[in-house]
Amino acid sequence: MKKITLRLFSWANIIVVVMMLAAGYAAGINPVSHPYLSLFGFLFPAFLTMNLAFIAFWLFVSRIRLFIPVAGFLMAYSPVQWYSPTNVAEAPPEGSLKVLTYNVLGFHSPEHPFEGAHPVLQYIERSGADIICLQEYTRVACQDSMWNIVDSIYPYHASVVSQGYVQTGGAEVAVYSKYPITSYRNIDIYTRGNTVGAFTLDINGDSLYLVNAHLETIGFSPEEKQQFNDMVRGRKESGEMRREARTMVSKLAESAKVRAPQADAIARYISKHKGERMIVCGDLNDHPLSYVHHTIARGLTDCYRAAGRWPGFSFRYHSMYVRIDNIMCSEHWKPYRCEVDKSIDFSDHYPVYCFLYEENSP
């Protein structure tokens, strides 16, 4: 019986490893062709946790079988680093460029009422960033005298909104910069209300191509987000849970189908400016192991993977935790200290910032 039990657990561990690898490398699946299959990457943390549990199990039961989960981790090294990098924090060199990206939820958060100066504007004022990319930006909805202070710190700012292929009014994206913005436009995408902006900045006489992206949202209503929270916490009957889970999976798949061509459009823009200084920021609305994330990151440095630590969840709402806000850069820079800043919780996103140092700078 002991031999049979050990064999069963060994096979269970092998199956977990296979599923972990399949989820970890699911970024190669285009959601347009296989929308439901492309969602498999969402399960990577679950299989990762199971494999960790098997390490603890084999340590006490049969150390010779430790090679199964350990071999699994070695084969999954790349997706593990994409999902939860283990970099050692390094202080940024003097002269580094601080870049910040933040989905500000339209400057409106029913869950966080406030009095006095707007919390987001206060955060921007003290951020010390050189370039700030904002998503779900609506300045007209935020009438606050602190804008005068923000404008004095960031004398150059511009915003864009999608013009073509939009089903509803697109949400603005904006850039606030200490450096001149010489041009800006939107990158045409098909969307139900999101925007990708292309900005050109003058950084000490050199052009910087900056993409500020807010890709297709999943479209969960507040009620559906609450339902997801209830499911995670086991507050639903099994039949009701299955029905609601099917609806949510369907929405995930449909939004992934829309985001994939949006990512392709950004990748074409990046390819067009290959060899130029480039930074891509924004809310991609997809996880680090997705087709969208890897398509945009191809040819760029993912700053969080290069200089971040642990999963770094930038989106938090009830029981939904995922890193969907990103900063990527061309090979001209080396990233330092890429962090999710949890010092402000006004929005359903946390800001993400990174220091970029141009290694051949004087």
Side-chain angles (χ1 to χ4, degrees), residues 9 18 27 84 98 102-103 110 118 150 154 176 178-179 182 196 216 237 252 256-257 260 286 309 326 351:
F9 274 99
V18 171
S84 182
K98 185 177 181 181
Y102 189 14
N103 184 320
H118 198 287
V150 171
Y154 300 97
Y176 279 73
K178 294 179 179 178
Y179 298 95
T182 57
V196 179
E216 202 70 20
E237 297 293 333
L252 282 168
K257 283 177 66 176
D286 228 327
R309 299 182 71 189
N326 298 269

mmCIF file of all heavy atoms in Angstrom, residues 9 18 27 84 98 102-103 110 118 150 154 176 178-179 182 196 216 237 252 256-257 260 286 309 326 351:
data_model
loop_
_atom_site.group_PDB
_atom_site.id
_atom_site.type_symbol
_atom_site.label_atom_id
_atom_site.label_comp_id
_atom_site.label_asym_id
_atom_site.label_seq_id
_atom_site.Cartn_x
_atom_site.Cartn_y
_atom_site.Cartn_z
ATOM 1 N N PHE A 9 1.030 9.592 -5.562
ATOM 2 C CA PHE A 9 1.453 10.957 -5.287
ATOM 3 C C PHE A 9 2.521 11.416 -6.278
ATOM 4 O O PHE A 9 2.571 12.595 -6.663
ATOM 5 C CB PHE A 9 1.965 11.073 -3.850
ATOM 6 C CG PHE A 9 0.888 11.323 -2.850
ATOM 7 C CD1 PHE A 9 0.359 10.283 -2.100
ATOM 8 C CD2 PHE A 9 0.370 12.601 -2.665
ATOM 9 C CE1 PHE A 9 -0.646 10.512 -1.176
ATOM 10 C CE2 PHE A 9 -0.632 12.842 -1.743
ATOM 11 C CZ PHE A 9 -1.159 11.792 -0.997
ATOM 12 N N VAL A 18 3.369 19.243 -15.218
ATOM 13 C CA VAL A 18 2.977 19.403 -16.624
ATOM 14 C C VAL A 18 1.987 20.566 -16.772
ATOM 15 O O VAL A 18 2.113 21.403 -17.685
ATOM 16 C CB VAL A 18 2.367 18.098 -17.170
ATOM 17 C CG1 VAL A 18 1.746 18.318 -18.545
ATOM 18 C CG2 VAL A 18 3.430 17.008 -17.247
ATOM 19 N N ALA A 27 1.599 31.897 -23.060
ATOM 20 C CA ALA A 27 1.656 33.197 -23.734
ATOM 21 C C ALA A 27 1.730 33.050 -25.250
ATOM 22 O O ALA A 27 1.422 33.994 -25.983
ATOM 23 C CB ALA A 27 2.858 34.001 -23.236
ATOM 24 N N SER A 84 6.911 36.200 -10.757
ATOM 25 C CA SER A 84 7.394 36.634 -9.450
ATOM 26 C C SER A 84 8.908 36.705 -9.448
ATOM 27 O O SER A 84 9.589 35.805 -8.954
ATOM 28 C CB SER A 84 6.902 35.660 -8.357
ATOM 29 O OG SER A 84 7.318 36.082 -7.080
ATOM 30 N N LYS A 98 13.048 58.824 -13.452
ATOM 31 C CA LYS A 98 11.983 58.138 -12.730
ATOM 32 C C LYS A 98 10.695 58.203 -13.545
ATOM 33 O O LYS A 98 10.193 59.288 -13.843
ATOM 34 C CB LYS A 98 11.752 58.734 -11.337
ATOM 35 C CG LYS A 98 10.715 57.938 -10.538
ATOM 36 C CD LYS A 98 10.524 58.467 -9.121
ATOM 37 C CE LYS A 98 9.509 57.617 -8.361
ATOM 38 N NZ LYS A 98 9.279 58.123 -6.975
ATOM 39 N N TYR A 102 0.081 55.071 -13.634
ATOM 40 C CA TYR A 102 -0.968 55.004 -12.614
ATOM 41 C C TYR A 102 -2.338 55.110 -13.285
ATOM 42 O O TYR A 102 -2.629 56.092 -13.969
ATOM 43 C CB TYR A 102 -0.775 56.156 -11.620
ATOM 44 C CG TYR A 102 -1.636 56.123 -10.377
ATOM 45 C CD1 TYR A 102 -2.347 54.991 -9.987
ATOM 46 C CD2 TYR A 102 -1.726 57.254 -9.568
ATOM 47 C CE1 TYR A 102 -3.112 54.979 -8.838
ATOM 48 C CE2 TYR A 102 -2.493 57.267 -8.405
ATOM 49 C CZ TYR A 102 -3.183 56.124 -8.052
ATOM 50 O OH TYR A 102 -3.946 56.131 -6.905
ATOM 51 N N ASN A 103 -3.183 54.111 -13.073
ATOM 52 C CA ASN A 103 -4.587 54.187 -13.477
ATOM 53 C C ASN A 103 -5.339 54.857 -12.335
ATOM 54 O O ASN A 103 -5.485 54.285 -11.248
ATOM 55 C CB ASN A 103 -5.136 52.782 -13.747
ATOM 56 C CG ASN A 103 -6.565 52.816 -14.253
ATOM 57 O OD1 ASN A 103 -7.387 53.604 -13.793
ATOM 58 N ND2 ASN A 103 -6.879 51.949 -15.196
ATOM 59 N N PRO A 110 -15.678 55.966 -5.088
ATOM 60 C CA PRO A 110 -16.741 55.994 -4.083
ATOM 61 C C PRO A 110 -16.315 55.368 -2.757
ATOM 62 O O PRO A 110 -16.840 55.737 -1.696
ATOM 63 C CB PRO A 110 -17.862 55.169 -4.743
ATOM 64 C CG PRO A 110 -17.564 55.184 -6.205
ATOM 65 C CD PRO A 110 -16.076 55.243 -6.302
ATOM 66 N N HIS A 118 -7.053 66.775 -3.426
ATOM 67 C CA HIS A 118 -7.287 65.448 -3.983
ATOM 68 C C HIS A 118 -6.085 64.540 -3.699
ATOM 69 O O HIS A 118 -4.934 64.918 -3.945
ATOM 70 C CB HIS A 118 -7.516 65.545 -5.493
ATOM 71 C CG HIS A 118 -8.170 64.335 -6.070
ATOM 72 N ND1 HIS A 118 -7.509 63.132 -6.227
ATOM 73 C CD2 HIS A 118 -9.440 64.126 -6.525
ATOM 74 C CE1 HIS A 118 -8.332 62.251 -6.750
ATOM 75 N NE2 HIS A 118 -9.518 62.825 -6.934
ATOM 76 N N VAL A 150 0.655 70.971 -9.606
ATOM 77 C CA VAL A 150 1.063 69.887 -10.507
ATOM 78 C C VAL A 150 1.565 70.461 -11.827
ATOM 79 O O VAL A 150 2.605 70.034 -12.354
ATOM 80 C CB VAL A 150 -0.117 68.908 -10.748
ATOM 81 C CG1 VAL A 150 0.229 67.915 -11.857
ATOM 82 C CG2 VAL A 150 -0.466 68.169 -9.460
ATOM 83 N N TYR A 154 5.133 69.915 -13.533
ATOM 84 C CA TYR A 154 5.142 69.253 -14.846
ATOM 85 C C TYR A 154 4.575 70.226 -15.883
ATOM 86 O O TYR A 154 3.381 70.175 -16.213
ATOM 87 C CB TYR A 154 4.320 67.961 -14.799
ATOM 88 C CG TYR A 154 4.858 66.979 -13.781
ATOM 89 C CD1 TYR A 154 4.306 66.903 -12.500
ATOM 90 C CD2 TYR A 154 5.940 66.168 -14.089
ATOM 91 C CE1 TYR A 154 4.818 66.021 -11.558
ATOM 92 C CE2 TYR A 154 6.455 65.282 -13.154
ATOM 93 C CZ TYR A 154 5.900 65.219 -11.896
ATOM 94 O OH TYR A 154 6.412 64.347 -10.962
ATOM 95 N N TYR A 176 2.280 63.541 -18.080
ATOM 96 C CA TYR A 176 2.789 64.743 -17.415
ATOM 97 C C TYR A 176 4.302 64.608 -17.339
ATOM 98 O O TYR A 176 4.820 63.590 -16.863
ATOM 99 C CB TYR A 176 2.175 64.900 -16.021
ATOM 100 C CG TYR A 176 0.793 65.501 -16.078
ATOM 101 C CD1 TYR A 176 -0.293 64.758 -16.538
ATOM 102 C CD2 TYR A 176 0.563 66.822 -15.715
ATOM 103 C CE1 TYR A 176 -1.557 65.306 -16.625
ATOM 104 C CE2 TYR A 176 -0.701 67.391 -15.795
ATOM 105 C CZ TYR A 176 -1.757 66.629 -16.256
ATOM 106 O OH TYR A 176 -3.015 67.183 -16.356
ATOM 107 N N LYS A 178 8.435 66.527 -17.131
ATOM 108 C CA LYS A 178 9.349 67.643 -16.900
ATOM 109 C C LYS A 178 10.118 67.990 -18.166
ATOM 110 O O LYS A 178 10.868 68.969 -18.186
ATOM 111 C CB LYS A 178 10.323 67.293 -15.761
ATOM 112 C CG LYS A 178 9.642 67.128 -14.402
ATOM 113 C CD LYS A 178 10.638 66.761 -13.319
ATOM 114 C CE LYS A 178 9.938 66.614 -11.971
ATOM 115 N NZ LYS A 178 10.876 66.213 -10.885
ATOM 116 N N TYR A 179 9.928 67.165 -19.205
ATOM 117 C CA TYR A 179 10.604 67.382 -20.480
ATOM 118 C C TYR A 179 9.569 67.730 -21.544
ATOM 119 O O TYR A 179 8.411 67.285 -21.472
ATOM 120 C CB TYR A 179 11.361 66.118 -20.890
ATOM 121 C CG TYR A 179 12.450 65.725 -19.919
ATOM 122 C CD1 TYR A 179 12.193 64.797 -18.913
ATOM 123 C CD2 TYR A 179 13.725 66.280 -20.001
ATOM 124 C CE1 TYR A 179 13.180 64.431 -18.006
ATOM 125 C CE2 TYR A 179 14.724 65.915 -19.107
ATOM 126 C CZ TYR A 179 14.441 64.990 -18.107
ATOM 127 O OH TYR A 179 15.425 64.632 -17.218
ATOM 128 N N THR A 182 6.840 66.918 -27.723
ATOM 129 C CA THR A 182 6.897 67.544 -29.047
ATOM 130 C C THR A 182 5.760 67.101 -29.960
ATOM 131 O O THR A 182 5.430 67.802 -30.915
ATOM 132 C CB THR A 182 8.243 67.241 -29.717
ATOM 133 O OG1 THR A 182 8.433 65.827 -29.792
ATOM 134 C CG2 THR A 182 9.389 67.852 -28.912
ATOM 135 N N VAL A 196 -4.902 53.997 -26.589
ATOM 136 C CA VAL A 196 -3.444 53.864 -26.594
ATOM 137 C C VAL A 196 -2.882 55.147 -27.200
ATOM 138 O O VAL A 196 -3.228 55.506 -28.325
ATOM 139 C CB VAL A 196 -2.971 52.643 -27.403
ATOM 140 C CG1 VAL A 196 -1.443 52.562 -27.393
ATOM 141 C CG2 VAL A 196 -3.574 51.357 -26.861
ATOM 142 N N GLU A 216 -8.065 46.910 -23.437
ATOM 143 C CA GLU A 216 -9.460 46.529 -23.205
ATOM 144 C C GLU A 216 -9.682 45.946 -21.808
ATOM 145 O O GLU A 216 -8.971 45.049 -21.370
ATOM 146 C CB GLU A 216 -9.896 45.504 -24.248
ATOM 147 C CG GLU A 216 -11.395 45.438 -24.434
ATOM 148 C CD GLU A 216 -11.926 46.702 -25.118
ATOM 149 O OE1 GLU A 216 -11.145 47.424 -25.755
ATOM 150 O OE2 GLU A 216 -13.143 46.936 -25.024
ATOM 151 N N GLU A 237 -23.458 28.708 -3.361
ATOM 152 C CA GLU A 237 -23.826 27.312 -3.590
ATOM 153 C C GLU A 237 -23.137 26.823 -4.858
ATOM 154 O O GLU A 237 -22.871 27.605 -5.771
ATOM 155 C CB GLU A 237 -25.343 27.181 -3.727
ATOM 156 C CG GLU A 237 -26.119 27.575 -2.477
ATOM 157 C CD GLU A 237 -25.874 26.623 -1.323
ATOM 158 O OE1 GLU A 237 -25.559 25.440 -1.605
ATOM 159 O OE2 GLU A 237 -25.967 27.047 -0.159
ATOM 160 N N LEU A 252 -13.905 36.970 -19.745
ATOM 161 C CA LEU A 252 -12.449 36.962 -19.821
ATOM 162 C C LEU A 252 -11.984 36.617 -21.230
ATOM 163 O O LEU A 252 -11.081 37.255 -21.783
ATOM 164 C CB LEU A 252 -11.864 35.956 -18.822
ATOM 165 C CG LEU A 252 -11.802 36.378 -17.351
ATOM 166 C CD1 LEU A 252 -11.475 35.174 -16.481
ATOM 167 C CD2 LEU A 252 -10.766 37.467 -17.157
ATOM 168 N N ALA A 256 -10.114 39.102 -23.938
ATOM 169 C CA ALA A 256 -8.786 38.690 -24.412
ATOM 170 C C ALA A 256 -8.723 38.726 -25.939
ATOM 171 O O ALA A 256 -7.691 39.115 -26.517
ATOM 172 C CB ALA A 256 -8.460 37.286 -23.906
ATOM 173 N N LYS A 257 -9.811 38.360 -26.603
ATOM 174 C CA LYS A 257 -9.861 38.410 -28.074
ATOM 175 C C LYS A 257 -9.721 39.843 -28.582
ATOM 176 O O LYS A 257 -9.137 40.077 -29.639
ATOM 177 C CB LYS A 257 -11.191 37.824 -28.574
ATOM 178 C CG LYS A 257 -11.263 36.314 -28.555
ATOM 179 C CD LYS A 257 -12.626 35.819 -28.992
ATOM 180 C CE LYS A 257 -12.903 36.144 -30.441
ATOM 181 N NZ LYS A 257 -14.187 35.572 -30.903
ATOM 182 N N ALA A 260 -5.849 41.223 -27.834
ATOM 183 C CA ALA A 260 -4.750 40.679 -28.637
ATOM 184 C C ALA A 260 -4.419 41.553 -29.851
ATOM 185 O O ALA A 260 -3.246 41.904 -30.055
ATOM 186 C CB ALA A 260 -5.083 39.247 -29.066
ATOM 187 N N ASP A 286 -3.969 42.640 -18.489
ATOM 188 C CA ASP A 286 -3.641 41.222 -18.666
ATOM 189 C C ASP A 286 -2.431 40.884 -17.813
ATOM 190 O O ASP A 286 -1.597 41.752 -17.519
ATOM 191 C CB ASP A 286 -3.366 40.901 -20.139
ATOM 192 C CG ASP A 286 -4.130 39.667 -20.599
ATOM 193 O OD1 ASP A 286 -4.324 38.753 -19.766
ATOM 194 O OD2 ASP A 286 -4.533 39.605 -21.770
ATOM 195 N N ARG A 309 10.501 42.715 -7.487
ATOM 196 C CA ARG A 309 10.584 41.563 -6.590
ATOM 197 C C ARG A 309 9.196 41.065 -6.242
ATOM 198 O O ARG A 309 8.288 41.853 -5.976
ATOM 199 C CB ARG A 309 11.325 41.926 -5.294
ATOM 200 C CG ARG A 309 12.759 42.386 -5.499
ATOM 201 C CD ARG A 309 13.434 42.674 -4.172
ATOM 202 N NE ARG A 309 13.703 41.443 -3.440
ATOM 203 C CZ ARG A 309 14.138 41.420 -2.181
ATOM 204 N NH1 ARG A 309 14.303 42.544 -1.511
ATOM 205 N NH2 ARG A 309 14.386 40.267 -1.588
ATOM 206 N N ASN A 326 2.288 48.157 -16.091
ATOM 207 C CA ASN A 326 3.643 47.820 -16.517
ATOM 208 C C ASN A 326 4.438 49.025 -16.994
ATOM 209 O O ASN A 326 3.875 50.021 -17.449
ATOM 210 C CB ASN A 326 3.586 46.813 -17.663
ATOM 211 C CG ASN A 326 2.940 45.509 -17.261
ATOM 212 O OD1 ASN A 326 3.619 44.588 -16.821
ATOM 213 N ND2 ASN A 326 1.629 45.412 -17.405
ATOM 214 N N PRO A 351 -0.031 52.639 -8.110
ATOM 215 C CA PRO A 351 0.962 53.143 -9.069
ATOM 216 C C PRO A 351 2.153 52.180 -9.155
ATOM 217 O O PRO A 351 2.461 51.464 -8.201
ATOM 218 C CB PRO A 351 1.396 54.487 -8.460
ATOM 219 C CG PRO A 351 0.408 54.782 -7.372
ATOM 220 C CD PRO A 351 -0.140 53.480 -6.913
#
